Amino acid sequence: DGGITQSPKYLFRKEGQNVTLSCEQNLNHDAMYWYRQDPGQGLRLIYYSQIVNDFQKGDIAEGYSVSREKKESFPLTVTSAQKNPTAFYLCASSITVGRSYEKLFFGSGTQLSVL
Amino acid sequence: RKEVEQDPGPFNVPEGATVAFNCTYSNSASQSFFWYRQDCRKEPKLLMSVYSSGNEDGRFTAQLNRASQYISLLIRDSKLSDSATYLCVVRDYGQNFVFGPGTRLSVLP
């Protein structure tokens, strides 16, 4: 079955540590996104990528980095510069940017907590 | 002003009730509109796209008013399984998806 796979489901970070969240999709979608969700809040865009080897900052990119070396993969690194990383992280994809009613498909999320 | 605003909630309704969610958006150039449903600590799932003429899917009806920049979702004969957070999502042509904060619904037996 096609879909988006995020791993791990739960992740713990020590102070000063960088951690990487994995996101893989086999939907052949061009666009991929990373969102952060805090308790009781909506989703906020961290980074997005429309094509391989290209990505743009979202609204809250500080303290995060991404890469898009393959169409299927869009890993997110939470760096030590992100002082409040505890949140639920969601990866998503869509067929392509620019077509109306293109829907977002989500992975099951990663809960990141600070030790 | 936030780009997408929703009723703050939570809504607590008895089974069988009709409940309406409201959403407003600030960017008049917005092109696509959606309602997503999110269960606690799960990923959002598409409930409905919202078309200009309005659309219905079983117990769910979505309406769009472009002049007022307003979107609504109506749930009739609510079930216990409808309990979730409902997210209003707006997309500008060629741009990204903007999420509202969500409205939590609890359907009570």
Side-chain angles (χ1 to χ4, degrees), chain A residues 54-84:
Chain A
D54 187 50
F55 49 82
Q56 285 78 41
K57 293 181 179 180
D59 301 319
I60 55 166
E62 186 174 348
Y64 300 98
S65 66
V66 292
S67 62
R68 187 84 186 277
E69 296 175 1
K70 298 186 300 181
K71 187 175 184 179
E72 301 80 20
S73 180
F74 191 41
L76 173 74
T77 296
V78 184
T79 74
S80 57
Q82 173 48 247
K83 298 305 180 188
N84 184 23

Side-chain angles (χ1 to χ4, degrees), chain A residues 37 48 97-98 101 103-104 107, chain B residues 32 36 38 43 46 50 93-94:
Chain A
Q37 187 175 35
Y48 66 100
V97 176
Y101 294 103
K103 306 171 188 62
L104 269 180
Chain B
S32 308
Y36 277 74
Q38 186 178 25
E43 72 274 24
L46 179 67
V50 186
Y93 187 77

Side-chain angles (χ1 to χ4, degrees), chain A residues 9 33 35 37-43 45 48 50 59 87-88 90 94 96-109 111, chain B residues 3 31-34 36 38 41-46 49-52 64 66 87 89 91-102:
Chain A
K9 190 172 179 64
Y33 311 78
Y35 291 91
Q37 187 175 35
D38 293 279
Q41 310 266 332
L43 278 66
L45 182 64
Y48 66 100
Q50 300 179 9
D59 301 319
F88 188 50
L90 287 156
S94 64
T96 187
V97 176
R99 290 170 55 181
S100 293
Y101 294 103
E102 285 301 332
K103 306 171 188 62
L104 269 180
F105 296 82
F106 285 90
S108 57
Q111 175 64 49
Chain B
E3 291 186 65
Q31 293 289 319
S32 308
F33 310 91
F34 308 89
Y36 277 74
Q38 186 178 25
R41 282 299 178 229
K42 300 283 188 183
E43 72 274 24
K45 294 184 178 178
L46 179 67
S49 300
V50 186
Y51 302 114
S52 296
L64 169 65
R66 286 186 183 270
L87 303 170
V89 184
R91 188 183 191 196
D92 303 329
Y93 187 77
Q95 302 300 317
N96 290 305
F97 297 82
V98 182
F99 286 76

